[in-house]
Amino acid sequence: MGIFQHPVMEGAREGRPVDLKAAEPLVEDIIQSVSRNAGALIGFAKLRAYDLYTYTHSLNVSLLAVAFGKYLGLDTVALRQIGLAGLFHDLGKALIPDFILNCPGRLTPEEFSVMKRHPVLGRDVLPGGGRIPDMVLEGMLQHHEKFNGTGYPAGLKGDAISEAGRIIAVVDVYDALTSKRPYKNAMLPNKALSILYSMAGEEFYPGYVEHFIKCIGIYPVGQIVRLNTGQVGVVSATDPAVPLRPEVIVVRDPLGRPAPPRLIRLADVISVSVTETLEAAHAGIDAARVLQDGAAS
């Protein structure tokens, strides 16, 4: 099921109003899950199947936005609204022609002009009458606005961009970079964070990328890493106080052979450290299964 066939979204292409009430239980589940274990949920967002991109991307952005909003201190009402903004941020893409939406190469100026309409198109298919909270609308409309004023659809600049717009902008780009598409491979999370950091203060509102990095960790849950011992494992937990020293479930010995899963808390073992990150496909490790099965400490 793609996002445009999802019961919450299916009316968009047909011009019917979207039922936000139907989405609220999903966002409530996301909030409750994040409250229980934010790090694990953020990691599992990237361990989903890589097909159904737009649907899973919207769910991921909602989850990441709630986790980031919680880290920033948003209250429960605001978390519900930022979760809805994330879920619906790309709703307008339902009205963008498929040949533009799924184009593997660079869009022509004319095609890009059409693509830039999707935030407004998404706003227009929502029910009117003042029933949509401002935070939801701001997140949808402003997630492509840039701090330096070069974004779209309104070319907002600086403080004119709302908090919702700032939050959704960061998590939207992060999830896009770390997702696999038919025309590109998924980028390793630490590489994606490096790119986000290079855009901080120019495209993203100052401070938000730095806070996001602290929120999810330099080595997010689910990241496969090699240690200085030669062992290979999966990051199972992170601590913002020591972002370079996560907890790792080791599943390969120094010679690359499968080993009984064993948890190492790098914060407690100073002699052991992460030396590099690895792609799941190349490492041949099912990170989701490792995290599900856990390990003895």
Side-chain angles (χ1 to χ4, degrees), residues 27-37 41 66 76 80:
V27 174
E28 192 64 37
D29 286 345
I30 289 172
I31 292 171
Q32 294 302 319
S33 297
V34 167
S35 296
R36 287 192 296 270
N37 193 338
L41 264 293
V66 168
T76 302
R80 290 193 185 99

Side-chain angles (χ1 to χ4, degrees), residues 142-186:
Q142 298 176 9
H143 67 278
H144 285 295
E145 301 289 359
K146 297 179 180 179
F147 181 72
N148 61 12
T150 62
Y152 65 85
L156 300 180
K157 183 177 181 179
D159 291 341
I161 302 172
S162 68
E163 183 170 39
R166 301 170 195 174
I167 289 172
I168 302 297
V170 172
V171 302
D172 177 46
V173 173
Y174 174 77
D175 189 71
L177 290 174
T178 55
S179 294
K180 181 178 175 63
R181 300 299 307 277
Y183 49 85
K184 79 171 187 69
N185 290 323

Side-chain angles (χ1 to χ4, degrees), residues 3 27 30 34 41-42 45-46 48 53-69 79 81-90 93 139-140 143-144 164-179 212:
I3 191 170
V27 174
I30 289 172
V34 167
L41 264 293
I42 291 169
K46 300 314 305 170
R48 292 178 183 275
Y53 171 74
T54 307
Y55 177 53
T56 57
H57 172 64
S58 296
L59 287 176
N60 288 347
V61 169
S62 181
L63 190 156
L64 289 165
V66 168
F68 190 21
L79 288 178
Q81 294 178 5
I82 201 68
L84 284 169
L87 192 63
F88 288 101
H89 79 288
D90 272 347
K93 287 185 177 179
M140 293 177 63
H143 67 278
H144 285 295
R166 301 170 195 174
I167 289 172
I168 302 297
V170 172
V171 302
D172 177 46
V173 173
Y174 174 77
D175 189 71
L177 290 174
T178 55
S179 294
F212 183 65

